[in-house]
Amino acid sequence: MDKEPKVTGIGGVFFKTANASKTKDWYRDNLGIKVNEWGASFEFRNANRPEEINYLSWSPFSADTDYFNPSDQSFMINYRVQNLDGLLQQFKSKGIELLGPVQEFEYGRFAHVLYPNGIKLELWEPIDEVFTKMGGETNK
């Protein structure tokens, strides 16, 4: 398996909105997106391992969320990565600072960096099997 530290895809699209609940309802009612309490999950197959199900998250956030801080932008992109530790070592050698420590959850590891234009990037080394086992409606 390829262990080169790199982005392998988009893991999520997060954006601020005046009313996250109404936004989710609008997307559900007008575009047929299956929503959940966080937004929506989109299911896709891994190109290198087609038997593996991967996930992308779409999430409207409240306009006053501090989750995107220190960025003042209204959106944040989550990138799926492989070998997060290797990627972070590369960042360190280039003087790119992490925004806080790496966070670990049952569904993967996360790190945050601030892109030079002030946009916060979320890096996610996923454990997709956890979402598959959880079940629930997804968009396909």
Side-chain angles (χ1 to χ4, degrees):
M1 183 184 327
D2 183 10
K3 289 294 184 184
E4 177 187 356
K6 65 180 181 181
V7 168
T8 60
I10 302 295
V13 177
F14 309 138
F15 59 97
K16 295 179 182 181
T17 183
N19 188 316
S21 180
K22 283 185 180 181
T23 299
K24 288 186 289 186
D25 291 347
W26 188 93
Y27 277 82
R28 181 196 62 225
D29 297 344
N30 295 291
L31 296 177
I33 293 178
K34 295 176 180 109
V35 299
N36 56 41
E37 69 179 279
W38 302 279
S41 293
F42 290 84
E43 181 180 315
F44 62 96
R45 295 290 173 161
N46 186 301
N48 297 313
R49 296 177 303 282
E51 72 286 352
E52 183 179 306
I53 300 171
N54 292 170
Y55 298 90
L56 179 145
S57 179
W58 171 90
S59 298
F61 280 75
S62 171
D64 62 357
T65 185
D66 61 1
Y67 191 63
F68 300 1
N69 289 353
S71 176
D72 62 0
Q73 300 295 315
S74 62
F75 70 95
M76 182 175 68
I77 305 295
N78 167 297
Y79 291 96
R80 296 172 62 89
V81 302
Q82 66 184 23
N83 191 353
L84 179 61
D85 292 330
L87 191 58
L88 297 178
Q89 286 176 345
Q90 289 178 5
F91 284 175
K92 185 176 181 179
S93 73
K94 295 176 182 178
I96 300 170
E97 292 186 38
L98 275 174
L99 298 173
V102 172
Q103 297 174 308
E104 297 193 30
F105 300 92
E106 67 178 318
Y107 46 87
R109 300 172 64 227
F110 294 83
H112 296 94
V113 297
L114 201 61
Y115 183 71
N117 65 359
I119 296 172
K120 184 178 179 181
L121 304 178
E122 185 169 66
L123 307 171
W124 174 37
E125 187 175 57
I127 303 173
D128 290 296
E129 305 84 50
V130 172
F131 293 108
T132 303
K133 289 176 186 174
M134 285 173 40
E137 282 195 297
T138 61
N139 296 277
K140 299 176 186 176

